Amino acid sequence: MFGLFGKNKPVKIRSRNENKKYGVAAKDVKELLKKGCKLLQLPSPGAHVCLYSDGTTVTEEFFQTLPDHTELVLLCRDQTWSGVVCDIGQLLKTDRYADGLIEAAKGLLSDEKSPQRRKILTDLLLNLEDRSELESREEHEEWFKGVDARFKTKSAYMKFNCEGRMRGYMKEVHGATKTIQKAKVREEFLKTSKSLSEMLKTAKNNGCYLDRTEKERLCTREGWFTCQGSYEQKVCQSLHSINPYGSRESRIVFSTWNLDHRIEKKRTIIPALLEALQNHKSSDINLNYFYGLLFTRENLKLVHIVCHKKGAHNLLCDAKKIFRKASDTNKAKQNVKGKKRRLV
């Protein structure tokens, strides 16, 4: 009905050879072709438009029935598009088994009773319907279902999510206080815990790791995260990846991914800190070392739940780094004395 009233219909358009989609508003196919060819720098003679999903040609009459933001493909005179299978072909064109894989995909698409087909297409559509380019609640309300109303952007929520994980780690450190019997050791541990907490607050709880707008992010600018592999591996052998910014389902699935401590928090780091304070003061502890192990990428790996091994990692803290160097300790004492003199 848009065309009947001369109103523009918003759609998403892309070329056959590019994955990037552009938003275009047009009242009819003629205007869409004119704007699309100019935007994508394609020759207008013979240009035509089809549905991204299945390659159906978009006529003037059909165009008026399309829902807003329908994904379309702009083709040149001799180009064709057969739907998502065509995209699979583009992705696999360098693969030695590309032809066989494409034929298998076509077979799945034609077999309506195949559970395998449903699973593959569900995963495929989850990525094809990616709307990660949208950021605000107004633009992508579906993504924010179940998310507190105070969060207006995806990045703000993801940042808060990461901060929550870090605060959880800090809470575990605080919780270890209950296990300490000796009053003096408990006092020194509380001092150390407080210092670590202040360091974490200064770093804004390292929320930047999951925020795609930050420089220290663990993802691409678009929001794609790649599993870094289990604690003993350099890379993920299964090539797990996800973009929680793309859809509500991806956001929920991403909550099962872990920031895994290579040197384990409960089994190793906290016990090492407790042991160090048995015969030392908090001022002797190398706070930067323990802070790095507990809260930074120095010891944290982002991993898919399958790559998160919960058994003992058998990795130890570096005994040479647990305590501050003598020179650093002396400087700290001098600074304390200096502050006391100024107070007097």
Side-chain angles (χ1 to χ4, degrees):
M1 299 300 293
F2 280 82
L4 296 176
F5 295 97
K7 294 182 179 180
N8 287 332
K9 179 191 291 292
V11 296
K12 290 183 179 181
I13 197 165
R14 53 168 281 184
S15 67
R16 187 184 189 282
N17 301 318
E18 295 291 335
N19 292 324
K20 188 173 182 179
K21 294 168 284 190
Y22 298 88
V24 176
K27 64 179 181 293
D28 52 36
V29 174
K30 183 178 180 180
E31 184 179 8
L32 178 63
L33 288 172
K34 182 178 179 180
K35 289 183 176 180
C37 287
K38 183 177 181 181
L39 182 64
L40 299 174
Q41 298 183 335
L42 297 175
S44 56
H48 52 291
V49 183
C50 69
L51 292 181
Y52 170 79
S53 59
D54 60 12
T56 301
T57 299
V58 177
T59 62
E60 288 288 0
E61 184 178 359
F62 186 30
F63 179 75
Q64 308 307 327
T65 68
L66 297 177
D68 287 357
H69 307 296
T70 296
E71 293 189 27
L72 305 174
V73 181
L74 179 58
L75 302 170
C76 296
R77 185 188 299 276
D78 298 321
Q79 291 182 327
T80 59
W81 182 263
S82 54
V84 294
V85 172
C86 196
D87 228 7
I88 293 173
Q90 292 293 325
L91 291 169
L92 302 175
K93 63 184 179 181
T94 59
D95 195 298
R96 58 184 296 194
Y97 303 110
D99 293 339
L101 288 169
I102 293 171
E103 288 304 313
K106 288 181 178 179
L108 286 169
L109 287 170
S110 63
D111 182 6
E112 295 182 0
K113 297 181 180 180
S114 169
Q116 183 184 18
R117 169 189 176 275
R118 290 197 295 272
K119 176 65 172 71
I120 291 177
L121 289 183
T122 298
D123 292 344
L124 183 62
L125 288 173
L126 184 62
N127 289 294
L128 294 180
E129 293 174 355
D130 176 275
R131 302 189 70 188
S132 58
E133 74 276 10
L134 305 180
E135 173 68 9
S136 71
R137 183 181 284 269
E138 291 182 355
E139 294 174 315
H140 197 177
E141 291 184 7
E142 170 66 21
W143 192 93
F144 287 87
K145 283 186 177 179
V147 174
D148 193 286
R150 60 180 159 150
F151 298 106
K152 305 303 180 184
T153 65
K154 295 177 181 179
S155 296
Y157 175 75
M158 293 298 292
K159 186 173 185 176
F160 175 80
N161 182 288
C162 189
E163 290 174 348
R165 298 188 189 208
M166 296 295 174
R167 284 192 290 267
Y169 302 156
M170 191 66 244
K171 188 176 181 180
E172 288 184 55
V173 175
H174 285 312
T177 307
K178 300 176 182 179
T179 66
I180 304 173
Q181 301 297 321
K182 297 179 180 179
K184 288 185 177 180
V185 176
R186 188 184 308 113
E187 182 183 352
E188 293 302 321
F189 185 85
L190 285 171
K191 290 180 182 178
T192 303
S193 178
K194 183 179 179 181
S195 296
L196 289 171
S197 181
E198 290 174 352
M199 292 171 73
L200 187 59
K201 288 180 181 178
T202 299
K204 298 180 180 179
N205 297 300
N206 289 329
C208 57
Y209 289 163
L210 302 187
D211 181 351
R212 64 179 177 180
T213 66
E214 295 280 356
K215 290 183 179 180
E216 296 299 318
R217 61 181 180 268
L218 291 173
C219 61
T220 65
R221 291 180 180 178
E222 294 74 25
W224 280 98
F225 291 88
T226 301
C227 175
Q228 297 175 320
S230 57
Y231 75 94
E232 82 278 27
Q233 297 178 333
K234 291 184 178 181
V235 295
C236 172
Q237 301 300 314
S238 300
L239 304 178
H240 294 124
S241 63
I242 191 171
N243 188 339
Y245 289 86
S247 68
R248 176 172 175 266
E249 184 173 343
S250 293
R251 168 175 65 78
I252 294 172
V253 171
F254 184 70
S255 65
T256 66
W257 284 47
N258 292 277
L259 280 170
D260 187 29
H261 290 82
R262 289 186 66 253
I263 299 175
E264 296 171 280
K265 176 176 75 269
K266 284 186 177 181
R267 287 192 178 104
T268 308
I269 302 173
I270 295 177
L273 183 56
L274 286 169
E275 184 179 351
L277 288 168
Q278 294 300 315
N279 299 302
H280 292 82
K281 294 184 177 180
S282 58
S283 58
D284 297 328
I285 301 299
N286 185 349
L287 289 175
N288 289 329
Y289 176 60
F290 281 99
Y291 173 81
L293 291 181
L294 288 165
F295 308 112
T296 76
R297 299 167 66 173
E298 176 184 329
N299 188 48
L300 290 171
K301 296 186 75 174
L302 181 67
V303 296
H304 184 282
I305 189 170
V306 173
C307 293
H308 184 209
K309 295 186 178 181
K310 296 185 177 181
H313 293 186
N314 297 319
L315 295 175
L316 302 176
C317 294
D318 188 339
K320 296 179 180 179
K321 296 180 179 180
I322 290 177
F323 299 104
R324 301 172 67 176
K325 294 179 181 179
S327 57
D328 294 335
T329 303
N330 291 332
K331 287 180 181 179
K333 290 180 178 178
Q334 290 174 3
N335 289 333
V336 171
K337 290 179 179 179
K339 288 181 181 180
K340 288 183 177 178
R341 291 194 193 99
R342 286 195 292 273
L343 289 173
V344 174

